[in-house]
Structures are given as C-alpha cells and as structure tokens.
Amino acid sequence: ETGVTQTPRHLVMGMTNKKSLKCEQHLGHNAMYWYKQSAKKPLELMFVYNFKEQTENNSVPSRFSPECPNSSHLFLHLHTLQPEDSALYLCASSQGGGRIFGSGTRLTVV
Amino acid sequence: TQLLEQSPQFLSIQEGENLTVYCNSSSVFSSLQWYRQEPGEGPVLLVTVVTGGEVKKLKRLTFQFGDARKDSSLHITAAQPGDTGLYLCASRETSYDKVIFGPGTSLSVIP
C-alpha cells in the first residue's frame, strides 16, 4: 500500500463503451498525475493537476478526459477507445519531489 | 526535450551475482531518481540524487551520479530474487512537474 489507490485493477472494455478510472490519495499531496505505460515504451505523462487545476495535457487524444474534483481524487474518463489504448494506466501524486504511484489499472480494449 | 537511455534493456542473472545498470542523458540532469517496478505494480521511488559525484547506498544497492550529471549507475551486490523488476531512471527538470522517465532495465534474478 503506497498511499495512492487505483480502481479498478483490471478493466476490459469494448471500443464503444464508456468507463472511468479512479485514483485516490490521502498523502496531502498537491499534485496528481496520469501516466500511460505500454509495452516496450517509456512511461508517458498524460495529465498533470496542481491544486485541482490542470496544468499539463501532453497532447492526449480527447477520448481520454481527466477530472479532478478535489486534491485527493483524480478520474480518467474513457470513451470510444482504440485497441492501441490498451496499457497500464498509472496514477501518481507528489509534493514537489518523487512520484508516489498507485498499482495501476490494466486496461484492455477489445 | 531531454532523452534518457538505459542499459542494458534486459538482464538475467543468478542469485548472488553482482550487477550494474546505467542511465544516460543527452543533457544535464537537474536531479535524477531511480524507481523499481515489480510486475503488476506501480513504480516505487528508491532514491533521488542531486549533486554531481554523489553516491548513495540503500542496503545492497549503490547509486552513483556522474560528475557531469549526465549519467548515473545503479549497482546491486549479491542480487536476490526479490530484486527482480523493472528499474527506471527519471530526470527531473527545472519545472518540478517535468519528470522524464527512461525506458527501464528489466532485471530477472534466478534462484
């Protein structure tokens, strides 16, 4: 248990489905992040939130929609995904230092 | 944008052996972090190095930051099966939100 909790751990969805990934941290961190980890590729930063405000969108397709209702919760809403979006989606938080990661959601798009 | 290279990409060794993995950059690191990621889990921060020439030890792991702050190494002494995982280096740029990850070294320690 790292202090960052992600649900669900595994998700299989069709290309026409809508689903959401959830991330929660009670570490008192001000920054939260979504990363994508695909096979044979480095961790890719998707979105950054500081004090609930989105400060970075790393050219992520609009079929991924983040939401940060408060500094402890972060969501990633998914719709009309493609098979190439299958990956491990990691949430992280930080207080200006190293990233504290959750265990990730293994997403498979069929 | 800073690019990180890690070598080797894969490493498989017997329990008890020593090993070193490397992280190199096309430009100077402001600081460098090492993470270990076990299968099915997120990366876990091991150490942060900031000063050129800095050496930090964490039990059997020794982390070294190059004098020019463009490279770093991680040495593991007497590797154990529990050391198996993906070792990631990450560079933190001037803006604290910018952390660039390398592709990782996948280590397998065979009992």
Side-chain angles (χ1 to χ4, degrees):
Chain A
E1 179 61 50
T2 66
V4 178
T5 304
Q6 288 188 244
T7 54
R9 289 295 305 271
H10 300 274
L11 178 62
V12 179
M13 59 185 289
M15 289 189 285
T16 58
N17 291 159
K18 290 184 179 181
K19 296 286 184 183
S20 296
L21 310 185
K22 180 181 177 182
C23 177
E24 186 173 348
Q25 62 95 3
H26 294 288
L27 300 170
H29 290 171
N30 296 323
M32 296 187 75
Y33 314 83
W34 281 115
Y35 286 88
K36 176 183 178 182
Q37 189 174 37
S38 307
K40 301 180 181 179
K41 293 178 70 175
L43 271 170
E44 299 172 67
L45 178 65
M46 300 175 72
F47 301 104
V48 179
Y49 278 82
N50 280 286
F51 296 96
K52 303 186 303 176
E53 299 299 320
Q54 186 180 132
T55 56
E56 185 159 345
N57 175 338
N58 229 20
S59 303
V60 180
S62 59
R63 56 186 185 270
F64 295 91
S65 175
E67 179 189 0
C68 188
N70 55 63
S71 56
S72 298
H73 294 85
L74 186 64
F75 295 89
L76 187 62
H77 304 299
L78 315 171
H79 64 97
T80 59
L81 294 191
Q82 305 299 310
E84 60 264 28
D85 297 321
S86 298
L88 180 67
Y89 288 85
L90 290 159
C91 173
S93 70
S94 77
Q95 191 68 14
R99 305 290 189 253
I100 305 298
F101 285 89
S103 298
T105 294
R106 173 65 63 185
L107 174 67
T108 302
V109 181
V110 297
Chain B
T1 302
Q2 186 170 32
L3 296 176
L4 299 185
E5 296 180 343
Q6 291 190 244
S7 61
Q9 186 178 358
F10 298 98
L11 186 58
S12 181
I13 62 169
Q14 294 290 326
E15 181 176 359
E17 292 183 354
N18 301 332
L19 67 113
T20 303
V21 299
Y22 301 91
C23 176
N24 295 283
S25 171
S26 56
S27 54
V28 174
F29 296 115
S30 57
S31 66
L32 186 115
Q33 299 167 346
W34 283 96
Y35 293 78
R36 178 172 63 216
Q37 184 177 16
E38 297 182 10
E41 298 296 330
V44 175
L45 179 65
L46 298 174
V47 76
T48 299
V49 286
V50 179
T51 306
E54 184 175 2
V55 177
K56 284 192 174 180
K57 293 192 174 185
L58 186 65
K59 296 183 181 179
R60 295 175 293 99
L61 277 60
T62 301
F63 304 86
Q64 187 156 6
F65 203 12
D67 291 339
R69 292 164 54 211
K70 294 181 69 173
D71 59 275
S72 180
S73 63
L74 160 57
H75 181 81
I76 301 179
T77 304
Q80 299 177 1
D83 296 325
T84 293
L86 181 68
Y87 287 82
L88 297 161
C89 67
S91 166
R92 190 172 143 191
E93 297 184 3
T94 305
S95 163
Y96 79 91
D97 273 339
K98 278 287 189 184
V99 173
I100 309 297
F101 282 86
T105 292
S106 180
L107 171 65
S108 177
V109 181
I110 303 166

